[in-house]
Amino acid sequence: MIKTGIIGGAGYTAGELIRLLINHPEVELVFVNSSSNAGNRLTQVHEGLHGETDMTFTNNLPLDEIDVLFFCTAHGDTRKFLETHNIPEDLKIIDLSQDFRIAAPTHEFVYGLPELNRRAICNAKYVANPGCFATCIQLALLPLAKHLKLNAPIHVHAITGSTGAGVKPSTTSHFSWRNNNISIYKPFEHQHLAEIRQSFTQLQNNFAAEINFIPVRGDFTRGIFATVYLDLDNDLTELQHIYNEYYDDHSFTFVIEETPDLKQVINTNKCLLHIDRIGNKTLITSVIDNLLKGASGQAVHNMNLMYNLLETIGLNLKASGF
């Protein structure tokens, strides 16, 4: 059994990660650390886990008792933790924050997007889990980058659910503000753009196209619905072949013939993609669950790869469709 621990166990992504790990047939969840909830039952915070676990949050850090440590911490906190604690030599780490997503000679983290870096993840000791918007947008465009076709300006409109803002209430996440409302934020300047550009450059060395990204707050709880468009000369049949070939051996990303709906991916680790040609525009629609494919589900997928397990084990989750 793979013994795991979680630091930062009170948030939405942590709740989903706990659910996945306690039901994973090859995993034992040893501890969930949360200084603000130490001594409380997990079900007092994550009420959906009633009947599945009787664990309590702890303030202890028995790092020598686990094989994999997951960080569900605020951005900046993982880096601080690693700088101030002794980490066992053989401990693997999967970080869900943004601290180590950008490659640098000062750290050993592999960028954990399986559809891009599967082989490197299999051999990695430390993995930086991608951002949710970054996952959705990259999966929409990676096949084009591989074929050196990202040369025109890229336009992205992506709407996300309120869980993307985290569990801590804010002026833009309260129900009375979010319900029956949409708004944009960080237009053209979202923090996920850096990792998106990094990945495209990995496949297409000369990548220099503009990415015009408008993030939108939606009036729903979970999921990301992204529409991406750019000018391309290729016809639809060729584009569909490029996408089907790229994702043919991947377990969670599917190219479909119909335009997807968000509900088709909620509560799953899937990404659904649809490609269309309208005039001289190529339109790619990409949908994911931000808490699963965009966070905790992808983290478990990365763990499976790191331990040479079947990629889908513990992740055979089904959307309700309603």
Side-chain angles (χ1 to χ4, degrees), residues 137 141 150 152-156 187-189 192-194 196-198 200 207-214 228:
I137 295 166
L141 293 169
L150 294 183
I154 299 164
H155 304 275
V156 182
F188 310 115
E189 297 178 340
H192 290 181
L193 284 169
I196 293 169
R197 290 193 179 99
Q198 174 180 258
F200 293 164
F207 175 75
E210 287 182 287
I211 304 176
N212 300 302
F213 174 31
I214 306 295
V228 182

Side-chain angles (χ1 to χ4, degrees), residues 4-284:
T4 63
I6 298 172
I7 294 179
Y12 291 133
T13 57
E16 289 293 77
L17 183 58
I18 292 166
R19 177 171 68 93
L20 294 174
L21 294 179
I22 62 177
N23 288 290
H24 194 296
E26 299 292 335
V27 169
E28 176 188 350
L29 180 58
V30 175
F31 71 85
V32 180
N33 175 277
S34 173
S35 55
S36 61
N37 287 284
N40 294 332
R41 297 187 309 277
L42 299 189
T43 51
Q44 291 178 266
V45 174
H46 305 297
E47 297 178 355
L49 296 176
H50 278 293
E52 298 184 55
T53 180
D54 58 1
M55 291 181 67
T56 59
F57 291 101
T58 180
N59 204 26
N60 297 324
L61 293 167
L63 301 182
D64 56 346
E65 297 179 12
I66 61 172
D67 304 304
V68 184
L69 180 63
F70 292 88
F71 283 91
C72 295
T73 45
H75 301 312
D77 287 354
T78 302
R79 186 181 295 274
K80 292 176 185 176
F81 184 94
L82 297 181
E83 290 173 350
T84 56
H85 290 76
N86 292 321
I87 306 300
E89 181 64 27
D90 58 350
L91 181 64
K92 296 181 186 292
I93 292 173
I94 299 174
D95 179 25
L96 279 76
S97 81
Q98 68 180 20
D99 291 11
F100 298 101
R101 292 173 185 164
I102 304 304
T106 55
H107 69 74
E108 304 174 51
F109 280 80
V110 170
Y111 186 66
L113 186 64
E115 291 83 357
L116 176 67
N117 289 327
R118 177 194 274 157
R119 184 173 299 177
I121 295 165
C122 289
N123 297 310
K125 182 179 178 183
Y126 300 153
V127 168
N129 222 55
C132 53
F133 271 134
T135 296
C136 195
I137 295 166
Q138 288 175 87
L139 294 177
L141 293 169
L142 287 179
L144 298 180
K146 181 182 178 181
H147 286 263
L148 312 181
K149 294 183 180 298
L150 294 183
N151 303 306
I154 299 164
H155 304 275
V156 182
H157 177 277
I159 184 167
T160 186
S162 58
T163 52
V167 70
K168 188 176 181 180
S170 68
T171 55
T172 58
S173 63
H174 283 292
F175 176 82
S176 57
W177 184 90
R178 195 97 181 201
N179 189 49
N180 296 324
N181 192 25
I182 60 172
S183 64
I184 67 170
Y185 68 108
K186 298 181 182 177
F188 310 115
E189 297 178 340
H190 195 276
Q191 65 271 16
H192 290 181
L193 284 169
E195 61 189 278
I196 293 169
R197 290 193 179 99
Q198 174 180 258
S199 296
F200 293 164
T201 304
Q202 181 179 329
L203 291 176
Q204 182 175 329
N205 291 336
N206 67 343
F207 175 75
E210 287 182 287
I211 304 176
N212 300 302
F213 174 31
I214 306 295
V216 181
R217 302 181 185 96
D219 64 342
F220 50 91
T221 302
R222 59 196 294 168
I224 295 176
F225 189 101
T227 48
V228 182
Y229 65 93
L230 70 164
D231 292 334
L232 280 176
D233 294 331
N234 307 82
D235 63 31
L236 183 58
T237 299
E238 183 181 359
L239 289 170
Q240 288 173 334
H241 174 74
I242 287 171
Y243 275 78
N244 284 318
E245 181 181 54
Y246 189 97
Y247 290 117
D248 180 61
D249 65 341
H250 288 282
S251 302
F252 295 106
T253 300
F254 303 95
V255 182
I256 63 174
E257 295 183 1
E258 306 82 15
T259 303
D261 297 317
L262 191 58
K263 284 189 176 182
Q264 290 172 261
V265 297
I266 298 306
N267 296 319
T268 81
N269 198 51
K270 297 177 186 177
C271 174
L272 296 183
L273 299 172
H274 174 72
I275 303 97
D276 203 356
R277 287 276 296 173
I278 303 171
N280 66 341
K281 302 292 183 190
T282 293
L283 173 66
I284 305 105

